[in-house]
Amino acid sequence: MKRLRLALAACLLAVSAASAGGCASAPEERTLVVLGPWTDGEEAPFVAALKSIGDKTGHRYVYKGTRSLRETLVAQLQAGAPPDLAILNSPGELAQYARSGDAHPLPEKVAGAAIPPWAPPVTVPGTGGAARTHVFWAPVRVDLKSLVWSRAGVGENEPVWCLGLNSGATSGWPGTDWIEDLILQRRGPDAYERWATGTTSWKSTRPVWEEWARMLTANGRSPAPDALTDSFELLDDGRYGLLNRGDCTHEHQGSFIRRHYGDDVRPTPTARHLGGAASAEEGGGVFEVSGDMAAVFRPSAAAWDLLGRLTSAPARKDWADAAKSGERPFFPGGTFASEAPSPGTRAVQELFDSAGRICMDASDTMPPTLRDAFYRAVLEFVGDPEDPALLTRLLERLDAETALQREKEEEEEGAFVLDDLCDNPVAGSQDAGTS
């Protein structure tokens, strides 16, 4: 019995020492979680870059990818278990998280990574009712839009436009890209900004919708019902890339689509296919851009350090080196890789470098409710693009939703709808294939 009491006392002393810090080993460092949009192998290069960062810092990181990014993040926030960092492609959503206090403002040491137009300042309510303006996220990867993909000599005189609008919960966005790009190319970046931020009405964009309808229905073609059910990238036979179907010759799509094509498919600016585009007045033309932006939802020194490293040249080089030549990511300021890029990647980078003006994807910057209404309007419009009464109803509905968002902005005394969508290209752009 005495031996038992001595053993028990020793155990209690050990527990006491451990809880007091005594001679016990330091507790294991928590693994940082990064939530993002890449899945099905697309995440592999990013995971490799994350591992390289971990090798340098000694921190542990885990990447969790999902196609239902908004739903997943909202559920985690409601459960009080947010990721350390989340990577989203919607500044409009990020602005809402900034205003709710879920996303945290960038400290001075990493604020320089908030490059416009991907990361504009956001005005949020402050203590005592005083509004404050901060930057809350930074682009970690970007893409060029305002592109048309085709094979040389195929359908040049009479293009047949590919269109697939199915994208799960975000179905419709390839059509919103068309409307946005037509507004940008026909009316220029200033008018594009005024429309996208609600200063001018949706009703004023009617000629653009009608022009798109004429393109889709040329020579008696009808986009519905196939365009409504077809995936924007996946074919029924398991292959990828709408141009590979053989029933269309030109695809309006962002630079990410190049991963589905060989060297025979190349991009050209949308403006070249529109004749007399307003953007021709801009040196090098104007292009829409999109991006994947990182924000911190669980602040710590390690989280801020990770955001800073993800936007650094060494991490970008590791990411690019881990990707296939035709899937190499683009970054603000150019690409970073040890080997030469694919012809498609180089062609996109050359267009990036020559742009006179770049404008953020308008629907991505809208509040989620307005963005989703835009998606639905596109789907309904493509169902019957030659019905003028339908278009009238859709534009009235979008104007009403925009007015509702403006009312919310005034009530909350902050920039609920993001401004400053367009900017000059990032200075110091590097040629593709350089480190």
Side-chain angles (χ1 to χ4, degrees), residues 63-83:
Y63 172 75
K64 296 181 184 282
T66 175
R67 294 291 186 183
S68 302
L69 189 56
R70 175 172 171 79
E71 295 79 5
T72 300
L73 181 56
V74 168
Q76 291 179 352
L77 289 169
Q78 290 175 344

Side-chain angles (χ1 to χ4, degrees), residues 325-342:
S325 178
E327 300 179 8
R328 185 172 299 168
F330 298 101
F331 309 102
T335 59
F336 297 77
S338 299
E339 299 180 359
S342 70

Side-chain angles (χ1 to χ4, degrees), residues 300-314:
S300 66
W304 293 122
D305 177 73
L306 176 59
L307 188 146
R309 290 177 184 273
L310 284 174
T311 58
S312 69

Side-chain angles (χ1 to χ4, degrees), residues 300-377:
S300 66
W304 293 122
D305 177 73
L306 176 59
L307 188 146
R309 290 177 184 273
L310 284 174
T311 58
S312 69
R316 291 171 175 175
K317 183 176 182 300
D318 289 339
W319 192 348
D321 283 345
K324 296 177 182 177
S325 178
E327 300 179 8
R328 185 172 299 168
F330 298 101
F331 309 102
T335 59
F336 297 77
S338 299
E339 299 180 359
S342 70
T345 298
R346 180 173 290 278
V348 170
Q349 187 62 57
E350 289 173 351
L351 291 172
F352 238 135
D353 293 343
S354 68
R357 193 87 165 150
I358 54 175
C359 297
M360 192 66 191
D361 183 302
S363 58
D364 286 348
T365 66
M366 295 174 182
T369 51
L370 179 56
R371 176 201 62 195
D372 294 346
F374 192 8
Y375 291 168
R376 291 192 299 271

Side-chain angles (χ1 to χ4, degrees), residues 354-404:
S354 68
R357 193 87 165 150
I358 54 175
C359 297
M360 192 66 191
D361 183 302
S363 58
D364 286 348
T365 66
M366 295 174 182
T369 51
L370 179 56
R371 176 201 62 195
D372 294 346
F374 192 8
Y375 291 168
R376 291 192 299 271
V378 160
L379 294 172
E380 290 187 51
F381 178 74
V382 170
D384 193 356
E386 296 179 297
D387 182 353
L390 172 63
L391 179 55
T392 296
R393 291 195 299 273
L394 295 176
L395 296 178
E396 288 176 348
R397 193 184 306 165
L398 290 168
D399 274 327
E401 182 62 39
T402 300
L404 181 61

Side-chain angles (χ1 to χ4, degrees), residues 37-38 42 46 87-91 113-120 137-147 149 254-259 287-294 310-311 316 319-320 326-336 345 348-349 351-353 355 358-361 364 424-426 429-430:
W38 307 299
E42 190 182 2
F46 176 74
I87 300 173
L88 297 89
N89 59 14
S90 171
I115 299 173
W118 292 279
W137 60 84
V140 294
R141 192 183 82 166
V142 300
D143 275 295
L144 189 67
K145 294 194 170 184
S146 301
L147 299 177
W149 298 82
S255 55
F256 75 89
I257 205 68
R258 76 195 186 283
R259 70 179 185 269
F287 291 83
E288 261 196 299
V289 294
S290 61
D292 297 296
M293 280 72 68
L310 284 174
T311 58
R316 291 171 175 175
W319 192 348
E327 300 179 8
R328 185 172 299 168
F330 298 101
F331 309 102
T335 59
F336 297 77
T345 298
V348 170
Q349 187 62 57
L351 291 172
F352 238 135
D353 293 343
I358 54 175
C359 297
M360 192 66 191
D361 183 302
D364 286 348
N424 296 321
V426 179
S429 178
Q430 299 188 25

Side-chain angles (χ1 to χ4, degrees), residues 159-213:
V160 179
W161 294 99
C162 302
L163 184 63
L165 299 177
N166 186 3
S167 183
T170 58
S171 292
W173 68 259
T176 65
D177 278 4
W178 254 122
I179 297 298
E180 292 160 4
D181 205 4
L182 282 167
I183 293 172
L184 180 61
Q185 304 304 328
R186 289 298 186 211
R187 302 182 178 181
D190 292 340
Y192 174 88
E193 273 193 335
R194 289 194 297 271
W195 158 71
T197 57
T199 303
T200 56
S201 69
W202 287 85
K203 182 181 178 180
S204 69
T205 68
R206 186 183 190 103
V208 166
W209 293 74
E210 292 172 338
E211 180 179 0
W212 187 40

